[in-house]
Amino acid sequence: MTYSIRDTQARCAALGHSPGTIDGMMGPKTRAAISAALQARGGRGIADLFHPSGLHRIHWHWTAGAYGVIDMERRAYNELIDQDGNVWDGLFRPEAQANYRVGHAASHTLNANTGAIGLSVDAMAGAQERPFFAGRAPVTWPQINALCERTAQHCAMYDIPVSRWSVLSHAEIQPTLGIRQRNKWDITWLPDMSAPGDPVQIGDRLRDMVRERMQDARVAA
């Protein structure tokens, strides 16, 4: 398993050791963050910072499609959630993302698919950001609740910290990880909002919901 400098920077940040700006450059701050993270985890090499599966991030999406999961969507995402909160498997299991290859894993995020699980709510057909229109298939609360539940389960399974650098929406990829995207605004709107909001603020709200579900699971156990 190999990890890019950008992936390593994001992993260090997610583990609580800041490398500075996530920029793909191996500078002194990145080296210091790697050293601190390895010491904290008792590791000897970069691979020791990651889960053995090679999975280290979760990306949230919406399909921009109508209600009703179709094969094209199943090919693009590892899991999809319909308007009633039911979870549908994608064509490729999450583990396929560890060694991403076109046609052998889900291509859900431009230049950022390796090691990243793609979870998508099946919604937002015909939506537009400005002036805002939620379209004919708006995101529903059952979808958001199921998205957070599945995220919590994957985080627990693959040792993915619930952080801005490891659990984030498609709209957060460019501002947080510095990987240019094509004007993506998913997920910047939730059903109780009158218009889209700041990507990171909405992401923080969703991450709080994920943490609640992880805490509930620990209490139940």
Side-chain angles (χ1 to χ4, degrees):
M1 212 76 66
T2 59
Y3 303 97
S4 69
I5 295 173
R6 195 180 300 271
D7 286 340
T8 303
Q9 289 175 321
R11 181 66 174 179
C12 286
L15 293 172
H17 306 281
S18 176
T21 302
I22 310 300
D23 57 8
M25 304 290 287
M26 184 60 80
K29 289 185 178 180
T30 297
R31 292 190 182 91
I34 292 171
S35 178
L38 285 172
Q39 183 175 1
R41 290 174 73 91
R44 301 179 62 183
I46 296 296
D48 295 327
L49 299 178
F50 294 82
H51 189 267
S53 68
L55 299 175
H56 49 91
R57 287 201 308 270
I58 295 173
H59 297 173
W60 293 318
H61 303 262
W62 57 45
T63 62
Y67 295 147
V69 174
I70 60 176
D71 285 346
M72 180 180 68
E73 295 166 341
R74 293 184 62 242
R75 180 175 291 276
Y77 306 101
N78 299 112
E79 292 181 359
L80 296 109
I81 301 168
D82 67 24
Q83 71 270 27
D84 298 316
N86 300 307
V87 179
W88 296 66
D89 288 337
L91 181 61
F92 303 105
R93 300 297 300 160
E95 291 80 7
Q97 304 304 123
N99 292 298
Y100 171 78
R101 289 185 297 151
V102 175
H104 296 270
S107 298
H108 53 80
T109 306
L110 182 64
N111 296 325
N113 294 294
T114 302
I117 302 171
L119 305 182
S120 185
V121 292
D122 187 40
M124 301 302 278
Q128 62 183 33
E129 186 176 12
R130 296 184 184 86
F132 176 64
F133 174 56
R136 63 181 185 275
V139 171
T140 68
W141 278 123
Q143 286 180 310
I144 294 300
N145 289 329
L147 178 70
C148 293
E149 183 70 28
R150 288 302 291 155
T151 298
Q153 292 168 0
H154 286 306
C155 285
M157 180 176 295
Y158 299 111
D159 185 27
I160 300 175
V162 184
S163 79
R164 290 180 175 181
W165 303 274
S166 50
V167 177
L168 64 169
S169 71
H170 200 171
E172 295 178 274
I173 297 296
Q174 184 167 321
T176 300
L177 301 182
I179 303 171
R180 188 174 296 278
Q181 301 297 299
R182 296 170 180 165
N183 301 314
K184 297 298 182 179
W185 59 293
D186 51 323
I187 297 173
T188 58
W189 178 81
L190 298 174
D192 61 354
M193 298 172 62
S194 60
D198 176 79
V200 177
Q201 290 181 359
I202 302 305
D204 284 343
R205 184 176 172 187
L206 292 171
R207 283 182 284 272
D208 283 344
M209 294 173 67
V210 174
R211 292 186 188 100
E212 289 175 1
R213 282 152 180 79
M214 295 187 77
Q215 181 62 36
D216 290 345
R218 285 192 289 268
V219 170

